[in-house]
Amino acid sequence: MNLTDQLFPETVVPVLVPLPADRPYSYTVPDGMTVGPGSIVQVPLGPRQVAGVVWDGPTDRVDAKKLRPITHVFDCPPLDETMRRFVDWVADYTLSPPGLVVRMALRAPAAFDPEPWVEGIEATGEKPDLITSARRRLLATAEEAPAWSKSGLAHAAGVSTSVVDGLLRQGVFRTVRFPPPPAVAEPDTGYGRAVLSEDQALAAGELAAAVHRGAFAPILLEGATGSGKTEVYFEAVAKALDAGKQVLILLPEIALTQSFIDRFHARFGAPPAEWHSDVAPKKREAIWRQVAEGRVRIVAGARSSLFLPFRELGLVVVDEEHDPAYKQEDRTFYHARDMAVVRASLGGFPVILASATPSIETRVNAETGRYAHVRLKSRHGDAALPELSLVDMRRHPPARGRFVSPVLETEIRKTLARGEQALLFLNRRGYAPLTLCRVCGHRFQCHNCSTWLVDHRLRGVLQCHHCGFSTPRPEACPECGTLDHLVACGPGVERIAEEIVEDFSEARTIVLSSDIAGGPRRLRRELEAVADGEADIVIGTQLVAKGHHFPKMTLVGAIDADLGLANGDPRAAERTFQLLHQVTGRAGRTGLASRGLIQTFQPRHPVMQALVASDPESFYESEIDERRRNALPPFGRLAAIVVSADRRADAEAHAREIRKAAPEMPEIEMLGPAEAPLAVVRGRHRFRLLVEASRRAPIQAYLRETLARAPRPRGSVQLQIDVDPQSFL
Ligand code: ADP
Ligand code: ZN
């Protein structure tokens, strides 16, 4: 027994509250209240009441008389040991206050209280005093099911509810209460089992064996788009469900489409519980609660579902594991794929990372044997990968002011003539990324950010993609006043659509980007429509690259393949390779011969060469080599510190203080500060520091010590710590 225990017996407990708190606060447990580690409680905090979680470990050495009591214990399953260690782990790794991490696990406050039971009626067996035809129908209908809601029964029998009321008064029916309905039906693991090819069966067998062992095992499931990865990991999901485990399938939010849900439904006879930003609040609460109670067995969700309070989690699948959308860059900077591996390791179960183009980090882990590597060799059935070729834009330039080369245009024409679909990919929303005045050269810049305003012609505005600032597109230049001399520079999807509609006026053309009017729901509908063949030419941003199955899509054209290579990010080549591979993989998924045309000004670039040679191995080899030579991740580690402030000088001065405070440690170095490429965002000036470390160097300890030695940020100065940064802007 330690000193703390003697001074403060168990009536004082630590409670972690969902605020930027560095550690749990101490509260007393009033007489008659029972709490344990993980209990979800309500506690006073200043003038407010907040929900928190009873944590473990020692409490502060404060006089118990000065502490305030816990107000209330919710009737809710506690956050289990694994989940608490997971919260601690994420906080420690990301240098985020544990309070902010636990907040992600407490996202459904209304669900801390049990869901209300539902009122219904059932027949008692008593006979009514008088039989009418309405009453006869009612009694006959009531026999069809054990329990009914009052209005449901009246409706089913075709009578008014007053007839039910009459029989209730006579004691022919009585009111009963039922448990809340399940958020989703139970999956049936034997339902729509696919007949696997030999290759697939082998892979599924390996995954199932790992699930059967039930120990921590990270597995890379690699195979071309359409090779059946989903089908194969569904078998592992079935195995885990059969073993009585809960399962989480993580997907990038945009890939969580109706077609995925339908496929799951077809395999398991019921849809999974969905968890993403578009789920209605009531549904979210029911899912959170039923996940905690173990009633929901399977969740398909975006990255935040990693923080759901599963009680018997036994498998996590991270589909499209390479996707940058898994990185959260807001408050707590974490990578959901990496944290999924951590969660599996703490919980002692397998985690499957699926991708056609794995991240370099995951590939290296698989090659060094840290992860198991399960591969699918070819596309399933007669679906062949598209034949890819480069269009050298220096040799086949489009007409002035246009962006589709004659080579691609011819190919589109042929595709439409066969009654098939074409997809034109350009990773740029809006009409044009820059607008300038032809007379005085004025460029339209955001008032809050160091960015150009993007012309969104459909909405008639110029908009900033970083802060959302928008202004009506003027007719005259605000600088020199000249009318009608503003020009759009460069293309966005809307501009490509304009060009296409001119050339293919009879084709049905659709533009798909994340800012589509009508939001995610509309977008999902449009994607369904494309899959059903209701468009001839689709022009889209990267969201069309993910997970969709468009049976009649036989041509994919990448308008500006070099776009992603331009930024000086260490992952630029990898990202470009993954995105182009994925987007061209939308073609030819059903046996029709298909083509991918990649418009580029750099046909000799290794990324372009690897793509057309359909030789991902050569790309991985050279890219891994490159990373090793430069000690970039995963051969070295990086962390970024972004200092921002209302005034440029304040941000720069504080960044310099941090640099001065950095301790001397072997194999760790701090670079900068340098003004960030995005120098101003939302009116805040930004400076970056970059920490470079060897693989084994204690980068968290280094950051912690640096921050402890540096002066506290004052005034408008704010810090963001990003361990394993994905963005360098
Ligand atoms: P991936 O996830 O690797 O892109 P999918 O699992 O989506 O591949 O499979 C691609 C297509 O092939 C899907 O339409 C899927 O239903 C079909 N498919 C894959 N394997 C089988 C199989 N064994 N039996 C029937 N259809 C399959
Ligand atoms: Zn802005």
Side-chain angles (χ1 to χ4, degrees):
M1 179 171 270
N2 64 32
L3 185 64
T4 328
D5 288 338
Q6 285 165 26
L7 284 175
F8 306 114
E10 63 283 6
T11 52
V12 177
V13 293
V15 175
L16 193 54
V17 293
L19 295 164
D22 277 331
R23 57 191 170 75
Y25 298 150
S26 298
Y27 288 89
T28 57
V29 183
D31 281 345
M33 182 186 278
T34 322
V35 296
S39 296
I40 299 180
V41 295
Q42 191 173 50
V43 292
L45 191 81
R48 297 188 294 150
Q49 292 283 332
V50 297
V53 182
V54 176
W55 221 241
D56 0 44
T59 51
D60 299 327
R61 298 180 184 189
V62 190
D63 183 352
K65 285 204 261 335
K66 292 190 182 147
L67 296 177
R68 299 167 77 182
I70 292 174
T71 318
H72 174 67
V73 193
F74 289 99
D75 179 5
C76 182
L79 283 195
D80 69 8
E81 167 85 23
T82 308
M83 194 60 195
R84 297 198 304 278
R85 294 298 75 77
F86 181 58
V87 169
D88 286 339
W89 206 101
V90 174
D92 192 64
Y93 188 84
T94 60
L95 275 89
S96 184
L100 283 188
V101 181
V102 87
R103 194 163 90 152
M104 297 193 280
L106 300 178
R107 272 290 155 78
F112 302 159
D113 288 314
E115 291 177 86
W117 284 45
V118 189
E119 193 160 284
I121 54 168
E122 65 181 10
T124 59
E126 293 286 318
K127 294 272 174 294
D129 55 2
L130 180 87
I131 279 287
T132 63
S133 69
R135 286 179 170 182
R136 188 174 298 117
R137 275 207 307 281
L138 198 55
L139 286 168
T141 308
E143 272 177 25
E144 289 168 15
W148 291 86
S149 74
K150 193 163 84 180
S151 57
L153 176 60
H155 183 79
V159 303
S160 85
T161 52
S162 63
V163 184
V164 186
D165 285 330
L167 292 185
L168 265 169
R169 275 195 299 276
Q170 283 183 29
V172 177
F173 288 117
R174 69 172 157 237
T175 311
V176 283
R177 298 175 74 76
F178 302 102
V184 282
E186 279 244 356
D188 171 358
T189 55
Y191 187 80
R193 185 162 267 159
V195 181
L196 298 182
S197 69
E198 202 175 317
D199 193 27
Q200 292 173 336
L202 226 72
E206 284 189 56
L207 301 183
V211 171
H212 181 75
R213 283 193 293 276
F216 173 57
I219 305 166
L220 167 59
L221 173 61
E222 184 176 356
T225 47
S227 58
K229 293 185 294 299
T230 314
E231 220 63 63
V232 166
Y233 75 62
F234 276 173
E235 289 315 296
V237 169
K239 241 320 184 260
L241 292 172
D242 283 341
K245 302 294 187 188
Q246 288 172 299
V247 175
L248 170 62
I249 301 175
L250 283 178
L251 289 155
E253 174 130 6
I254 208 81
L256 201 49
T257 52
Q258 193 56 43
S259 60
F260 177 83
I261 303 298
D262 291 346
R263 239 181 114 179
F264 184 95
H265 198 146
R267 171 63 185 83
F268 292 100
E274 288 178 60
W275 187 264
H276 50 78
S277 59
D278 200 32
V279 178
K282 277 264 174 282
K283 190 82 182 171
R284 281 173 86 82
E285 285 152 18
I287 290 169
W288 191 95
R289 179 80 196 188
Q290 295 187 16
V291 165
E293 289 172 348
R295 291 178 73 195
V296 163
R297 306 307 300 173
I298 169 125
V299 175
R303 59 181 186 234
S304 62
S305 50
L306 207 48
F307 291 90
L308 281 170
F310 292 97
R311 58 192 288 166
E312 295 154 317
L313 192 58
L315 176 66
V316 179
V317 177
V318 186
D319 203 348
E320 313 282 11
E321 70 87 32
H322 62 278
D323 199 297
Y326 281 124
K327 180 70 188 270
Q328 167 157 305
E329 291 173 340
D330 176 28
R331 287 173 192 273
T332 297
F333 287 57
Y334 71 93
H335 200 299
R337 177 237 302 146
D338 297 345
M339 295 308 117
V341 174
V342 170
R343 182 135 196 213
S345 129
L346 293 171
F349 55 76
V351 53
I352 298 169
L353 311 179
S355 177
T357 50
S359 62
I360 297 289
E361 283 85 346
T362 298
R363 268 294 292 242
V364 170
N365 280 329
E367 283 171 18
T368 56
R370 210 169 296 129
Y371 293 1
H373 199 176
V374 176
R375 309 186 80 146
L376 291 170
K377 286 187 208 76
S378 54
R379 274 199 161 180
H380 180 72
D382 49 5
L385 282 166
E387 183 199 320
L388 299 184
S389 45
L390 300 175
V391 178
D392 185 340
M393 294 296 270
R394 296 165 308 183
R395 291 179 48 207
H396 307 282
R400 215 181 125 74
R402 310 190 110 224
F403 303 92
V404 177
S405 70
V407 182
L408 180 53
E409 199 187 311
T410 308
E411 222 38 62
I412 297 172
R413 224 168 271 294
K414 286 195 219 155
T415 305
L416 298 189
R418 287 193 305 266
E420 294 163 5
Q421 289 174 305
L423 169 67
L424 302 181
F425 166 71
L426 176 64
N427 211 8
R428 250 196 202 138
R429 291 183 280 140
Y431 184 86
L434 168 67
T435 303
L436 57 77
C437 170
R438 208 197 303 268
V439 177
C440 74
H442 172 76
R443 297 168 168 217
F444 286 79
Q445 196 180 338
C446 178
H447 293 309
N448 312 316
C449 310
S450 50
T451 52
W452 306 128
L453 293 176
V454 179
D455 183 357
H456 282 262
R457 227 161 256 195
L458 288 178
R459 280 182 280 140
V461 297
L462 300 178
Q463 193 185 38
C464 170
H465 282 184
H466 289 276
C467 72
F469 167 82
S470 91
T471 177
R473 191 173 188 279
E475 275 158 25
C477 171
E479 196 66 30
C480 67
T482 315
L483 263 178
D484 295 333
H485 275 72
L486 300 179
V487 281
C489 300
V493 281
E494 286 179 15
R495 193 168 192 179
I496 302 301
E498 186 181 83
E499 191 175 323
I500 288 296
V501 169
E502 258 174 50
D503 290 348
F504 300 93
S505 52
E506 62 309 336
R508 296 166 300 170
T509 300
I510 179 172
V511 177
L512 294 178
S513 67
S514 57
D515 55 356
I516 192 168
R521 213 158 293 179
R522 161 94 188 283
L523 185 60
R524 267 170 223 193
R525 271 207 312 276
E526 298 286 7
L527 288 165
E528 292 309 298
V530 173
D532 290 341
E534 287 171 26
D536 303 310
I537 305 175
V538 181
I539 299 154
T541 58
Q542 62 172 351
L543 70 88
V544 297
K546 294 180 190 168
H548 316 294
H549 189 58
F550 302 131
K552 298 195 78 178
M553 189 76 73
T554 58
L555 174 67
V556 173
I559 299 295
D560 185 354
D562 310 328
L563 191 58
L565 291 173
N567 62 21
D569 173 329
R571 290 187 181 81
E574 176 189 348
R575 289 275 149 77
T576 302
F577 177 76
Q578 287 161 340
L579 195 52
L580 291 176
H581 184 93
Q582 200 166 25
V583 75
T584 50
R586 287 309 108 206
R589 291 172 65 93
T590 43
L592 298 169
S594 64
R595 295 200 66 178
L597 290 185
I598 299 169
Q599 299 194 148
T600 174
F601 286 92
Q602 308 173 59
R604 301 253 143 263
H605 194 287
V607 167
M608 302 305 159
Q609 289 296 321
L611 279 167
V612 283
S614 287
D615 185 10
E617 290 313 307
S618 81
F619 172 74
Y620 280 110
E621 222 169 88
S622 70
E623 187 64 18
I624 288 173
D625 204 51
E626 181 88 9
R627 297 269 183 100
R628 188 182 285 117
R629 276 191 289 117
N630 294 303
L632 285 168
F635 301 101
R637 305 185 58 199
L638 299 176
I641 303 175
V642 176
V643 183
S644 65
D646 291 344
R647 291 182 25 202
R648 188 178 184 279
D650 293 347
E652 182 169 18
H654 194 85
R656 287 194 189 289
E657 293 287 348
I658 291 179
R659 173 68 190 267
K660 254 191 271 165
E664 285 294 324
M665 278 196 198
E667 300 186 31
I668 304 192
E669 195 184 0
M670 189 181 286
L671 309 176
E675 186 160 59
L678 259 177
V680 187
V681 174
R682 294 171 201 274
R684 297 184 64 82
H685 295 261
R686 305 165 76 243
F687 278 79
R688 295 183 69 98
L689 294 144
L690 187 67
V691 178
E692 290 186 349
S694 73
R695 256 193 81 84
R696 265 161 298 278
I699 203 166
Q700 276 82 9
Y702 177 88
L703 289 166
R704 229 169 249 124
E705 192 165 334
T706 302
L707 297 178
R709 290 183 184 189
R712 287 190 143 270
R714 278 184 316 272
S716 70
V717 176
Q718 280 178 8
L719 296 188
Q720 280 175 344
I721 314 294
D722 186 356
V723 177
D724 307 332
Q726 301 280 312
S727 161
F728 294 82
L729 291 178

